[in-house]
Amino acid sequence: MQNRLITTVMSLLILTTSHGFCSEAEPKARLDGLWEGVIVYRPAQIELDLTVEIAADPLVGTIDIPVQGLKFQPLQKVQIEGSKVAFAFDRFPDKEDAEGHFQFRGELSPDGKSITGECSGRNDGMDLRLPFQLERKGDAGSERPAVVRRPLTAMSDAGDELRAAFNRDKDKIRLVLLLSPTCPSCLSSAWVIEKYVLDPSREDDLRVYVVWGPMLGGENEENARAATSRMPDPRVSHFWTVAPTVAAQFGRAIALPERELGWDTFQLFAPGATWGESVPAPVSFMHINKPLPEELALNGEKLADWVRGVRQAAPHQL
């Protein structure tokens, strides 16, 4: 009797499975698609945005790292096994050594919407192991978000246009960035500030002015126009200068040595500060690539905290 009961139950299981009444097998994990994310060199300090697009059958794809000037670089060895994914690319495909070769290995989330892992490779003689994250944004071949470029104002040597905007917004918190439009660390810094300071808050009490200039010597106005896409927030105004005058004034505002210009600095001004004969002293500032204290190195999270501190300290002026 017991054996007959077991046989009947087994027969029912086989029957229901064959007719699809049991739960279906989980769909096969997919790596193909349009992905966007970040490689983190130093959290909130140096982060590289990236876009990965992978097609199926066979698995092939491309990678964009805008801050490095890389677009539609072909991927190599695109693989998925279970939830484990991997792909690679060569920044310098003609080089025979490992310089510029990067391997991405990661884990696909159970819902198939994200990948987290590690990017390893060699760049400028250094071995790197950096965390990366990707979020699925659509299918392969999906229309990518349009690149948004903001208006760019060409300044006079004295910076009168920036001075007028700075004083017009004197009731606002103001942040002034002085950057090169072709320097990777400058472009990364602009993106970090957009991500950590602007994107999380839509407060209208903040204005950001980006001064793009020939810090390296060969930059031009078209470079600056392209760089405005790194900070598309409407609260940001972009300026271009060919003269060192404005950078010199902002250098003096933070008491840099006499011949040291204010490039690579991020200066925060409280409501009420006015630019008269000279740039007023900021309430605080950060930098990149400067021989200044490490605690003043750019950090997007810390800078966002500073902005909130200024907001709380002077609510009656906002």
Side-chain angles (χ1 to χ4, degrees):
M1 181 68 178
Q2 185 177 4
N3 289 339
R4 187 179 301 170
L5 179 60
I6 293 174
T7 301
T8 302
V9 172
M10 292 297 293
S11 299
L12 286 171
L13 286 173
I14 293 171
L15 181 64
T16 54
T17 301
S18 64
H19 284 78
F21 293 120
C22 286
S23 58
E24 298 181 0
E26 291 186 7
K28 184 179 179 181
R30 291 178 51 202
L31 181 55
D32 58 296
L34 179 66
W35 303 83
E36 292 181 356
V38 61
I39 303 171
V40 181
Y41 187 84
R42 292 180 184 169
Q45 292 186 292
I46 304 175
E47 300 187 7
L48 311 180
D49 54 317
L50 73 157
T51 300
V52 173
E53 187 167 9
I54 298 174
D57 301 323
L59 286 172
V60 294
T62 60
I63 185 169
D64 300 358
I65 306 180
V67 73
Q68 295 291 331
L70 302 177
K71 192 169 180 64
F72 297 118
Q73 298 290 300
L75 295 179
Q76 305 168 354
K77 303 176 181 178
V78 184
Q79 302 171 7
I80 181 168
E81 184 175 344
S83 63
K84 305 294 184 183
V85 304
F87 51 88
F89 86 98
D90 279 316
R91 184 178 179 186
F92 309 110
D94 296 332
K95 283 193 174 184
E96 296 182 358
D97 59 20
E99 182 75 15
H101 178 77
F102 292 92
Q103 177 74 46
F104 292 76
R105 298 186 184 278
E107 183 87 14
L108 185 66
S109 64
D111 62 7
K113 295 182 179 180
S114 64
I115 300 171
T116 57
E118 183 178 78
C119 167
S120 60
R122 187 170 179 81
N123 190 56
D124 291 335
M126 295 189 299
D127 292 321
L128 301 174
R129 302 177 70 90
L130 308 172
F132 78 91
Q133 300 172 351
L134 288 170
E135 299 289 334
R136 186 187 292 276
K137 297 299 181 180
D139 295 329
S142 299
E143 184 176 354
R144 299 190 181 196
V147 175
V148 178
R149 293 188 178 186
R150 297 284 297 155
L152 179 71
T153 299
M155 289 195 299
S156 61
D157 289 356
D160 294 333
E161 296 80 4
L162 175 59
R163 184 202 307 256
F166 186 94
N167 289 337
R168 181 189 64 234
D169 297 328
K170 65 180 180 180
D171 61 330
K172 310 284 187 182
I173 302 169
R174 287 150 294 171
L175 179 62
V176 180
L177 289 55
L178 296 101
L179 303 171
S180 160
T182 62
C183 167
S185 59
C186 290
L187 296 173
S188 172
S189 298
W191 188 78
V192 161
I193 292 175
E194 178 80 18
K195 176 182 177 181
Y196 286 95
V197 178
L198 292 168
D199 285 352
S201 171
R202 308 315 302 175
E203 297 285 353
D204 192 50
D205 59 8
L206 174 65
R207 293 292 182 269
V208 180
Y209 314 107
V210 188
V211 178
W212 302 103
M215 187 181 89
L216 304 179
E219 302 92 325
N220 57 47
E221 186 171 344
E222 186 52 39
N223 297 146
R225 204 170 301 281
T228 64
S229 65
R230 305 299 292 172
M231 299 190 78
D233 191 288
R235 293 168 292 179
V236 181
S237 299
H238 296 266
F239 297 86
W240 162 253
T241 181
V242 295
T245 313
V246 171
Q249 291 192 64
F250 280 91
R252 289 193 292 271
I254 56 175
L256 290 179
E258 184 177 353
R259 295 182 179 275
E260 184 77 21
L261 301 179
W263 297 121
D264 286 339
T265 64
F266 313 85
Q267 303 188 26
L268 182 63
F269 298 85
T274 303
W275 182 349
E277 293 185 2
S278 60
V279 174
V283 293
S284 52
F285 74 95
M286 291 183 176
H287 72 94
I288 55 173
N289 306 321
K290 291 283 191 188
L292 292 169
E294 179 63 25
E295 60 266 25
L296 294 178
L298 174 66
N299 183 295
E301 291 181 334
K302 185 176 178 180
L303 182 56
D305 285 341
W306 284 4
V307 171
R308 285 190 289 269
V310 173
R311 180 176 292 131
Q312 293 168 3
H316 62 285
Q317 293 180 291
L318 302 179

